[in-house]
Amino acid sequence: SLYNNVTIPAPLLGDQRSFEALPPFIQDSLYMGRIRWYWRYDNPEKYQRMVKGYYRMITTIDDNLGRMRTLLSELKIADNTIIILMGDNGYFLGERSLAGKWLMYDNSLRVPLILYDPQAKRKATSEAMALNIDIAPTLLDYAGVPIPPSMQGQSLRPFATKEIPWRKEFLCEHLYNLSYIPKSEGIRTAQWKYFRYVDHREVEELYDLQKDPMETINLVKNPKYKKQLQQMQTTLDNKIEALTLEQAH
């Protein structure tokens, strides 16, 4: 019964123009993001039902997290228990007439992450770019276990005390060899995002996330941003090459 009396706003960028701005192979009805859009959001009634169901699941997670914290207090271990709450991927809720994940837009990339340390000296939101690969090193750090050099991530534990020097960019990629999901790879900084499709190298996208957080103005063909485009291309190439060499060893 949750949210039965609520009308969920229509998705941002849910208009036809935003859909038609996508590469043709993303618009294709065989792309999984489109298939799932037809399953979930292709008419207003279905959209309301599916998004409310999604929100109900999130509310249930909140409720059960509260029950868990109550139990920790009853067991008298709440002050010595670290809680990490995160999602595994972003999620399209009809934006760009898509569903699911897989693409390099922030709808796919961004995930919620809360690290609760009851003994933390500060309680603040950090703008540092944490990644899911940081979770394992964080757990090892809290457990007092050495972090293997082969781990790609970094411990988030220092943020419980203060802001520290941190990554300025990260590599993102979806390389599963699936006919219904195009492979893609990209690089994201605090301000810029560049990505391309592995099997459609002629399709590239560059966004200034400070001026265009919705990622609607592709700057790839704008001569004003040629130098920025080349810099992002080179950075991405170098990161992929470094990762390939690392994996070879």
Side-chain angles (χ1 to χ4, degrees):
S1 60
L2 281 174
Y3 312 120
N4 277 350
N5 298 321
V6 174
T7 299
I8 305 297
L12 299 172
L13 306 182
D15 57 290
Q16 187 66 17
R17 181 179 177 182
S18 297
F19 172 67
E20 291 175 352
L22 293 166
F25 49 88
I26 301 297
Q27 297 183 44
D28 195 295
S29 60
L30 296 179
Y31 166 57
M32 182 55 72
R34 280 297 283 170
I35 292 173
R36 293 192 178 187
W37 180 82
Y38 284 111
W39 292 353
R40 299 170 182 168
Y41 311 129
D42 68 342
N43 65 60
E45 179 184 1
K46 192 184 296 183
Y47 172 80
Q48 291 294 319
R49 184 172 70 251
M50 296 300 292
V51 176
K52 287 178 182 180
Y54 180 68
Y55 288 169
R56 288 175 185 128
M57 288 191 288
I58 294 173
T59 302
T60 301
I61 292 171
D62 288 345
D63 291 344
N64 282 285
L65 181 59
R67 292 173 60 199
M68 185 180 73
R69 294 194 64 192
T70 297
L71 179 59
L72 291 171
S73 295
E74 291 173 353
L75 295 173
K76 302 188 185 309
I77 57 174
D79 291 340
N80 192 36
T81 300
I82 310 301
I83 300 174
I84 298 177
L85 175 68
M86 66 177 294
D88 67 335
N89 54 261
Y91 198 69
F92 281 96
L93 291 169
E95 297 90 351
R96 304 178 195 268
S97 299
L98 298 174
K101 43 191 177 180
W102 307 302
L103 301 182
M104 295 296 132
Y105 301 110
D106 267 9
N107 304 81
S108 288
L109 288 186
R110 299 200 68 161
V111 300
L113 172 61
I114 299 173
L115 194 161
Y116 174 67
D117 177 352
Q119 300 178 18
K121 296 180 180 179
R122 67 193 288 262
K123 293 176 172 61
T125 298
S126 174
E127 295 301 320
M129 290 189 288
L131 303 177
N132 52 10
I133 58 174
D134 296 327
I135 300 304
T138 301
L139 295 173
L140 293 177
D141 192 1
Y142 271 111
V145 178
I147 300 170
S150 58
M151 278 194 168
Q152 295 178 343
Q154 304 172 65
S155 173
L156 299 168
R157 185 179 184 182
F159 285 102
T161 303
K162 62 181 180 179
E163 288 287 316
I164 61 172
W166 199 246
R167 65 171 64 89
K168 302 297 184 184
E169 62 202 14
F170 66 89
L171 169 70
C172 42
E173 54 188 3
H174 189 284
L175 302 179
Y176 287 173
N177 192 24
L178 302 170
S179 61
Y180 47 85
I181 301 175
K183 291 180 282 189
S184 55
E185 56 194 13
I187 194 85
R188 191 195 193 282
T189 71
Q191 179 175 359
W192 298 97
K193 182 191 291 178
Y194 164 76
F195 64 88
R196 63 198 180 200
Y197 293 90
V198 175
D199 296 325
H200 303 270
R201 293 300 284 265
E202 74 283 0
V203 180
E204 303 174 285
E205 301 188 34
L206 174 70
Y207 298 102
D208 183 338
L209 300 174
Q210 290 184 358
K211 296 180 180 178
D212 179 28
M214 298 294 291
E215 300 170 286
T216 60
I217 305 171
N218 184 4
L219 302 172
V220 162
K221 295 183 180 179
N222 187 328
K224 180 181 175 181
Y225 296 93
K226 183 177 180 180
K227 184 176 180 180
Q228 183 64 43
L229 173 63
Q230 292 174 336
Q231 178 183 327
M232 297 295 283
Q233 289 170 328
T234 300
T235 301
L236 177 57
D237 290 339
N238 290 342
K239 279 197 171 292
I240 291 174
E241 182 180 358
L243 184 61
T244 301
L245 289 173
E246 180 182 314
Q247 291 173 340
H249 294 293

